[in-house]
Amino acid sequence: MTQLDNFLSRISANAVRFAERNALAVVAASAFVCLLSAGAGISWLGVNTDTRAMLAEDLPFRRLTARFEAAFPVLEQPMIIVVDADSAPRARDAAAALAVALRADTRNFKSVFAPGIGSFFEIHGLLYLDPGTLGEFSDRLIVALPFFGRLAREPTLDELIGVLDDALDERAPVSDSSLVDAFAGITDVVDASLEADSASGAWEEWAAGPDDDGKRRVIIVQPVLEYASLKAAQRSMDAVRVAAADLGLTPERGVRVRITGDAALNTEEMDAVARQAGVMAVAASFLIVTLLLFFGLRSVHLVLCTVATLAVGLLWTTGFAATVIGDLSLIAIPFAVLFVGLAVDFGIHFSLRYYELRSGGTESDAALVETGRSVGSSIALCATTTAIGFFAFVPTGYAGVAQLGIISGAGIFLSLVATLFFYPALLHLTGGSRRAIGSPTGPAVGVTNAPLPLRRPLMIVISGAVVALGCLAVLPDVRFDPDPVKVRDPSSESVQTMTDLLGDSPVPPWTVQVLAADLEEATQLATRIRALETVERTMTISDFVPADQDEKLAILEDLTFFLEPTGSGSQENVAAPDIETALPELADIARRLRTRARKTETSPQLKVALIRLAASLDRLRAQVEDSRDPQKEATRIQTALLGDLPEWMDGLEVALSAQQVSLEDLPETLQKRYVAADGRVRIEVFPAIDVSDQDGLSRFVDSVRAIVPETTGAAVEIVESGRAIVGALRQALTTAVLAVVLLLVVLWRDLRDTLLVVAALTLASLMTAATTVLLDIPFNFADVVVVPLLLGIGVDSGIHLVHRHRMDGLAHAVLSTSTARGVLFSALTTIASFGSLAFATHRGIASLGALLTLGLSYMLIANLLFLPALILWSDRHFVRKTR
């Protein structure tokens, strides 16, 4: 052993001796610090729910985003409210009513923007149709307006019967194709009125033609966020749901209101992380670790002391986090689960070595001190190497993992202090050090059932080298997926709603935002950017001025010629239907429809329309006749069928009064989203290529940046976040590996021993990375935590085994020691602790748990199979320096 090894061993032994001799004072002092830590945690430990805080603010793209949001504050942290209805008019009306209610709630919303809704669009909305669609709308209405006018002036069943009677007059100058369209529309409206108390918008929907897109409307709001709360946007989300319920916007009434967008996604993600990686996860980890400790230590007293030490270390770490950090970022929240999985390693090795010495007949006090001397230096070294893996992220731009690194790195040293002071003090104070320990049986101390690496070391070493070379071949295919939606809980409403929006939209929302000095520069830049093959289209405020206005206004003028003022009044003045005459007339109309359908000159399309309408009228008549109160049911159907028609006709009259629209006429709410207060203009750039993977998205962003280097937007955020995280990972990994290797070389003064540890670590790391390729598991922003964990745990296990070999000098006996058993059960407890995360519904947490379980399993194989074989093989073929 080197002088430094001896120094660490003496320090550890002296610490244990001091704790044993002053057991009561050490336990009391530890308990007092625990109380202080608990108080600090309750008072100061919070959560920063702003997910952007996971990356450093001084990163170039973060600074550009901050400047952009300062220019357009209404675009910061949006929340998207999706309104789906069974008809386009109902969706529009529901969204309009909800937008009005939310605008009035200034406590929860800073701004409310409802695209395509409002007085401006009520007047000028038809100008946003393309000329072809507007022409079809006009042709359909020209035929129907005379009938609509009559029904609007007198919205009764009697008048509807009269309209149908006139339509069946073969002398009427109406083509068969027009009748097909009209009869099909009337059938749909009648059917709707039979099933609901209101067929609101059904006439309008028929006039507009099939428009499935209109059945979904979105409202974009800027919520008042409470970052000090775990769920920053929860109050605003609750306000949306309450407003929707108050307005009757429920699935039972044909309207569905859902919430998504950055603010909602982040809020529900925080909720999932808190539930699945918070207190319950820590409790589950403690329980699992405790059960495995009972199996591994075979002593209730040792287990309870180990768990108590683990709890003390966790409390100290929590107090440190509260004092030094304060508010935790999203990725730092699981620090407690990570602590349990890592810190238990010290207690296991200490307990097993103590157990081994006591089983061999060493007196209790001497066994405690010897345990401190023999494993103290190795666990101190392991604490240092594990902390290096975490601290290596501190100088990187990945602020979330840097924060986690500070907490976890410090927590490892606090756990070491608890193991060397509190654990022996508690064991001595409770009499555990004086209890007799029987002789172990079977594999109670070592791992004796592993002869393969000892009998065939060369075969194991060669096999490991071959596996490593195979893994190296696929290493370039390891990929990182920075898409934030893919790591969230797929069962949450916000993720499901966003997935629906992405699936229904032909253009993904990953856009690039460009700022121009003024509109003229914006127009020039947009033209240059549109020429890129990666760009489908650009959008500026100018694009909201309708095109081809002269042509469209001419169509509207022609349509106005056929529109007669309805003079529609209140529905209260409408006469109730006379069922004595209306029901027989309905039967007569249905008979005439079928007669017309049987005529040979009737086209097949018209026959189908006539028969469908006849069946609907029969159902209407039967529903009235079979009801308990026929008169009341007839009145209800009349209101449902025709009650909204006069209002729609009034709205149509307003829409046909549209005039030329200029840039200055656009609504202020729209202008604020594209023109900043200082006159700068926003250009929104949409991709023309597949951006569902990182390569496509990067190509899209880089192509726009070739023209305008300073860009921002969702696409830029995703690409640059990924690059920043990958860069931080490379920087931290390089720093940590070099630091660990240098530390081992300095401590051990033996390059070969260092290479033994590094070889096992490298093999396990390569197998983990290759498996992610074979199973097509991309890394995400949460999985970066895997790197310092695997590095720390892998190095620790190798250090323990090599250190024990250096102490005993018997390569073939390493697997029969308490050290090997400690490595085994330490890995099993850590796998069990982290493996529970793999069952989380949050995909980021689940992938973190799955990768940790996978990596730790490979680390176990590498350290208990490959490393002993490598040690034995190297001892046989190289002359070991005398220590």
Side-chain angles (χ1 to χ4, degrees):
M1 296 178 69
T2 65
Q3 290 183 349
L4 192 53
D5 263 339
N6 288 326
F7 175 73
L8 290 175
S9 295
R10 288 197 305 271
I11 291 293
S12 301
N14 289 335
V16 173
R17 185 180 292 109
F18 173 84
E20 185 182 29
R21 292 176 177 176
N22 302 277
L24 183 60
V26 170
V27 171
S30 299
F32 179 70
V33 176
C34 284
L35 289 175
L36 292 179
S37 298
I42 294 171
S43 302
W44 300 333
L45 192 63
V47 177
N48 182 359
T49 55
D50 186 357
T51 55
R52 297 172 300 179
M54 289 192 295
L55 291 169
E57 293 181 356
D58 59 352
L59 290 172
F61 82 95
R62 287 290 314 277
R63 291 200 299 266
L64 286 172
T65 299
R67 283 162 49 188
F68 175 79
E69 290 178 346
F72 294 95
V74 295
L75 300 179
E76 183 180 2
Q77 291 283 291
M79 191 161 73
I80 302 173
I81 303 167
V82 180
V83 180
D84 293 305
D86 50 15
S87 70
R90 180 171 292 183
R92 181 202 60 215
D93 294 343
L98 185 57
V100 170
L102 299 183
R103 284 194 187 100
D105 186 1
T106 55
R107 177 173 177 264
N108 292 306
F109 303 100
K110 298 178 183 177
S111 66
V112 178
F113 176 63
I117 295 175
S119 58
F120 174 84
F121 292 99
E122 289 175 3
I123 299 172
H124 304 288
L126 293 176
L127 294 180
Y128 287 90
L129 299 176
D130 63 77
T133 303
L134 184 58
E136 293 174 2
F137 172 76
S138 176
D139 293 340
R140 189 178 295 112
L141 269 184
I142 286 173
V143 174
L145 276 178
F147 300 131
F148 280 5
R150 288 174 54 183
L151 291 173
R153 286 189 292 272
E154 190 177 344
T156 64
L157 278 177
D158 293 334
E159 190 63 24
L160 175 63
I161 292 170
V163 167
L164 292 174
D165 183 59
D166 291 344
L168 286 172
D169 187 349
E170 297 184 15
R171 295 171 297 176
V174 179
S175 65
D176 274 9
S177 61
S178 298
L179 283 175
V180 169
D181 197 21
F183 287 157
I186 294 172
T187 301
D188 292 339
V189 178
V190 171
D191 289 343
S193 67
L194 296 179
E195 298 173 2
D197 290 338
S198 173
S200 176
W203 294 103
E204 177 186 351
E205 190 172 24
W206 169 78
D211 182 15
D212 290 335
D213 292 339
K215 295 180 181 179
R216 170 169 290 170
R217 293 281 184 158
V218 299
I219 304 171
I220 304 172
V221 302
Q222 188 181 21
V224 175
L225 299 176
E226 300 173 313
Y227 286 126
S229 169
L230 181 64
K231 305 175 186 178
Q234 190 63 56
R235 196 178 70 186
S236 298
M237 294 169 68
D238 291 341
V240 171
R241 295 188 175 105
V242 169
D246 291 343
L247 293 169
L249 307 181
T250 61
E252 295 76 18
R253 298 190 178 185
V255 180
R256 185 183 182 192
V257 176
R258 294 178 293 168
I259 306 172
T260 186
D262 288 346
L265 287 166
N266 294 341
T267 294
E268 293 194 340
E269 181 172 33
M270 280 294 180
D271 182 42
V273 171
R275 284 186 289 104
Q276 300 174 26
V279 176
M280 294 303 296
V282 176
S285 295
F286 259 102
L287 178 61
I288 294 171
V289 165
T290 301
L291 292 175
L292 283 173
L293 286 174
F294 273 115
F295 180 72
L297 297 180
R298 309 287 182 88
S299 168
V300 173
H301 197 262
L302 290 180
V303 169
L304 294 179
C305 287
T306 302
V307 173
T309 304
L310 192 62
V312 166
L314 180 57
L315 275 173
W316 290 357
T317 304
T318 302
F320 170 83
T323 305
V324 176
I325 303 297
D327 291 336
L328 302 179
S329 67
L330 171 67
I331 206 167
I333 291 177
F335 83 88
V337 178
L338 303 184
F339 177 90
V340 172
L342 289 173
V344 71
D345 175 70
F346 301 152
I348 288 175
H349 282 282
F350 197 98
S351 296
L352 284 173
R353 179 58 175 159
Y354 173 76
Y355 188 102
E356 184 180 42
L357 291 170
R358 292 284 285 119
S359 299
T362 305
E363 292 296 326
S364 59
D365 292 346
L368 265 180
V369 175
E370 175 58 24
T371 298
R373 187 196 68 80
S374 57
V375 303
S377 62
S378 63
I379 63 175
L381 183 56
C382 289
T384 304
T385 55
T386 302
I388 286 173
F390 282 107
F391 287 147
F393 277 94
V394 174
T396 70
Y398 200 177
V401 177
Q403 188 185 79
L404 177 65
I406 294 173
I407 298 171
S408 299
I412 291 298
F413 286 118
L414 291 172
S415 176
L416 175 64
V417 172
T419 302
L420 294 179
F421 285 92
F422 177 78
Y423 181 89
L426 183 64
L427 190 64
H428 179 85
L429 194 64
T430 55
S433 63
R434 297 181 292 278
R435 294 184 182 183
I437 294 182
S439 300
T441 59
V445 172
V447 184
T448 59
N449 298 323
L452 185 59
L454 305 180
R455 293 179 181 177
R456 300 286 188 272
L458 181 59
M459 182 185 74
I460 297 297
V461 171
I462 293 175
S463 299
V466 171
V467 170
L469 289 174
C471 293
L472 276 173
V474 300
L475 201 60
D477 295 325
V478 173
R479 60 191 180 91
F480 179 82
D481 188 350
D483 187 348
V485 176
K486 293 180 181 177
V487 303
R488 293 182 162 113
D489 185 353
S491 65
S492 66
E493 179 189 81
S494 59
V495 173
Q496 290 180 345
T497 306
M498 179 59 74
T499 302
D500 286 349
L501 288 177
L502 294 178
D504 292 344
S505 174
V507 180
W510 315 134
T511 60
V512 170
Q513 308 291 342
V514 177
L515 282 183
D518 51 36
L519 186 58
E520 181 180 356
E521 182 182 338
T523 303
Q524 294 173 354
L525 279 176
T527 302
R528 292 176 59 196
I529 293 172
R530 274 199 304 272
L532 296 170
E533 64 175 9
T534 58
V535 174
E536 181 194 32
R537 62 187 173 92
T538 60
M539 185 173 291
T540 68
I541 188 65
S542 298
D543 293 304
F544 289 92
V545 178
D548 305 314
Q549 291 193 55
D550 290 338
E551 181 181 357
K552 295 174 184 177
L553 288 171
I555 295 174
L556 296 183
E557 186 178 353
D558 292 340
L559 186 55
T560 306
F561 177 78
F562 294 91
L563 180 68
E564 299 179 5
T566 60
S568 56
S570 171
Q571 183 70 17
E572 297 176 0
N573 300 323
V574 176
D578 182 0
I579 60 173
E580 296 296 330
T581 58
L583 295 180
E585 289 176 351
L586 283 171
D588 181 61
I589 290 292
R591 178 186 58 77
R592 291 171 59 192
L593 289 168
R594 292 189 175 92
T595 300
R596 177 76 176 270
R598 288 193 292 269
K599 292 189 176 182
T600 56
E601 66 271 18
T602 303
S603 67
Q605 294 83 359
L606 183 56
K607 284 183 180 182
V608 172
L610 291 167
I611 292 172
R612 283 189 64 228
L613 180 55
S616 292
L617 295 178
D618 285 341
R619 284 195 297 273
L620 189 159
R621 180 170 50 84
Q623 187 163 318
V624 172
E625 291 176 340
D626 295 342
S627 65
R628 294 182 178 180
D629 189 339
Q631 183 62 55
K632 183 178 179 180
E633 179 64 11
T635 302
R636 184 199 69 78
I637 292 176
Q638 174 177 282
T639 303
L641 186 61
L642 301 168
D644 293 325
L645 183 58
E647 182 180 351
W648 176 69
M649 288 292 291
D650 291 341
L652 178 62
E653 188 173 353
V654 172
L656 294 182
S657 67
Q659 301 295 323
Q660 284 277 349
V661 174
S662 66
L663 200 61
E664 293 73 20
D665 297 323
L666 296 177
E668 183 182 3
T669 55
L670 182 60
Q671 295 202 34
K672 283 185 177 180
R673 304 181 74 82
Y674 283 89
V675 181
D678 59 7
R680 284 181 294 170
V681 176
R682 174 169 75 105
I683 307 170
E684 192 168 15
V685 185
F686 295 85
I689 60 175
D690 182 11
V691 293
S692 58
D693 59 26
Q694 180 69 1
D695 292 338
L697 195 61
S698 298
R699 186 165 150 246
F700 167 56
V701 169
D702 292 339
S703 67
V704 178
R705 277 185 163 175
I707 296 176
V708 187
E710 293 190 345
T711 61
T712 185
V716 176
E717 291 273 332
I718 293 174
V719 169
E720 288 303 323
S721 294
R723 289 173 178 171
I725 292 171
V726 171
L729 176 60
R730 289 173 178 166
Q731 177 184 336
L733 185 58
T734 302
T735 302
V737 170
L738 291 177
V740 167
V741 170
L742 181 62
L743 177 66
L744 292 178
V745 170
V746 170
L747 284 176
W748 285 349
R749 304 289 180 85
D750 191 321
L751 182 60
R752 185 153 60 97
D753 281 348
T754 301
L755 292 178
L756 290 175
V757 174
V758 172
L761 175 66
T762 302
L763 176 60
S765 301
L766 287 174
M767 288 193 295
T768 303
T771 303
T772 65
V773 175
L774 296 176
L775 299 181
D776 192 25
I777 305 174
F779 283 88
N780 55 58
F781 77 87
D783 295 337
V784 174
V785 179
V786 171
V787 175
L789 285 172
L790 293 184
L791 177 65
I793 295 171
V795 168
D796 290 356
S797 298
I799 288 173
H800 282 300
L801 290 169
V802 173
H803 178 80
R804 185 61 184 266
H805 170 56
R806 287 161 60 88
M807 287 177 57
D808 298 342
L810 299 174
H812 64 276
V814 169
L815 291 177
S816 300
T817 64
S818 63
T819 302
R821 184 173 178 82
V823 169
L824 172 63
F825 279 98
S826 175
L828 290 178
T829 52
T830 307
I831 289 172
S833 177
F834 295 151
S836 61
L837 298 176
F839 299 98
T841 57
H842 185 282
R843 285 178 288 196
I845 297 175
S847 64
L848 172 62
L851 278 175
L852 280 172
T853 301
L854 186 67
L856 290 171
S857 300
Y858 284 139
M859 288 292 177
L860 188 61
I861 294 171
N863 283 304
L864 290 183
L865 186 64
F866 178 73
L867 181 57
L870 189 61
I871 291 174
L872 185 58
W873 177 79
S874 66
D875 275 3
R876 289 176 179 176
H877 291 81
F878 298 94
V879 178
R880 177 168 290 278
K881 185 186 298 184
T882 304
R883 298 181 177 84

